[in-house]
């Protein structure tokens, strides 16, 4: 159910669309960085384990 936005409909809907796109971009960036850090940590732990043996 969409309220009648009148002449501001384009502006309001554009702002909503931009907000959704930015939030999705931030979520994707966070997931990508998390995976990258997890790989780096695994490499560091493997290297440390190799030195300890």
């Amino acid at each position: 159910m969409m309220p009648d936005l009148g002449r501001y409909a384009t502006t309001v809907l554009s702002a909503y669309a931009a907000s959704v796109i930015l939030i999705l971009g931030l979520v994707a960036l966070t997931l990508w960085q998390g995976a990258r850090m997890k790989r780096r940590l695994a490499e560091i732990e493997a290297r440390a384990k190799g030195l300890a043996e």
Side-chain angles (χ1 to χ4, degrees):
M1 184 167 259
M2 174 79 109
D4 182 25
L5 300 174
R7 64 182 184 160
Y8 300 108
T10 304
T11 305
V12 171
L13 295 177
S14 298
Y16 279 137
S19 297
V20 168
I21 289 169
L22 287 173
I23 289 170
L24 290 175
L26 287 172
V27 168
L29 180 64
T30 301
L31 293 173
W32 176 71
Q33 285 181 337
R36 193 178 74 182
M37 288 300 121
K38 196 179 243 186
R39 283 192 305 270
R40 287 184 64 191
L41 180 59
E43 289 173 6
I44 292 168
E45 288 177 342
R47 216 174 340 168
K49 188 175 183 180
L51 292 176
E53 291 178 356

